[in-house]
Amino acid sequence: HNNLAVALDMQGRKEESSAMIDQIINQYPDYFFGQVSAARKAMIADDLKKAREILNKLMTRKQYHVTEFSALCAVFIDLSIEDDQPDAALSWFDMWEGAYPEDPRLEQYEERIEMLRLFTKIKDISSYKGKRKKKLK
């Protein structure tokens, strides 16, 4: 059902996808990927606190299947970007890449991650220039 919900979402059939995600969450509250979908749904609703609460529960697990860890990293990257925490997003990407370098989903994130790396460098340079100007005064 979760794969069908994702497929519907990719086809732009958002309402059907959302309804199916709700059904999955209600029928299978402990289903890992259903909880990841619930977190994504909270993010879309701009409820980052709720998304983080859902994900923090998933973080209490002692071990993950590689596909679960991949999904967890991806959603934390998206949440970190949405929450203006580029360093956290970069960290999650690095963990994901280190744990599952052959994951084909990494490719979907590489461009955004490179942009974040560049943004972070620019921000560091700007911060350095601001500190340097203060010292000169």
Side-chain angles (χ1 to χ4, degrees):
H1 289 124
N2 192 63
N3 291 342
L4 179 56
V6 171
L8 289 170
D9 185 65
M10 291 174 72
Q11 293 173 8
R13 296 165 62 183
K14 306 291 185 194
E15 288 182 26
E16 290 173 84
S17 173
S18 181
M20 186 164 281
I21 290 169
D22 289 340
Q23 180 184 356
I24 292 166
I25 294 165
N26 290 331
Q27 281 187 300
Y28 312 101
D30 295 329
Y31 178 56
F32 187 89
F33 294 104
Q35 292 302 306
V36 169
S37 294
R40 289 195 175 282
K41 197 169 176 186
M43 288 168 50
I44 290 167
D46 204 28
D47 191 347
L48 302 186
K49 182 180 178 187
K50 181 177 180 181
R52 209 168 277 291
E53 287 171 4
I54 293 167
L55 294 174
N56 285 341
K57 286 180 187 173
L58 294 178
M59 292 287 295
T60 63
R61 295 178 68 175
K62 300 224 184 285
Q63 56 185 4
Y64 303 91
H65 184 273
V66 68
T67 58
E68 292 173 333
F69 186 70
S70 175
L72 189 65
C73 289
V75 74
F76 262 114
I77 289 169
D78 294 335
L79 178 61
S80 298
I81 290 170
E82 194 69 31
D83 204 17
D84 195 26
Q85 297 178 349
D87 291 333
L90 295 172
S91 179
W92 277 104
F93 183 81
D94 290 343
M95 284 189 285
W96 182 10
E97 191 174 46
Y100 189 22
E102 62 276 358
D103 188 340
R105 290 187 59 205
L106 282 168
E107 244 179 73
Q108 298 171 0
Y109 282 82
E110 284 176 345
E111 186 175 319
R112 290 171 54 199
I113 292 300
E114 288 309 311
M115 289 173 60
L116 276 177
R117 289 189 203 285
L118 181 60
F119 170 75
T120 303
K121 286 179 185 178
I122 291 169
K123 192 172 164 183
D124 288 345
I125 291 169
S126 297
S127 174
Y128 172 74
K129 284 181 180 180
K131 289 176 185 175
R132 204 173 94 207
K133 284 182 183 180
K134 285 181 182 178
K135 285 183 181 180
L136 293 175
K137 288 182 179 182

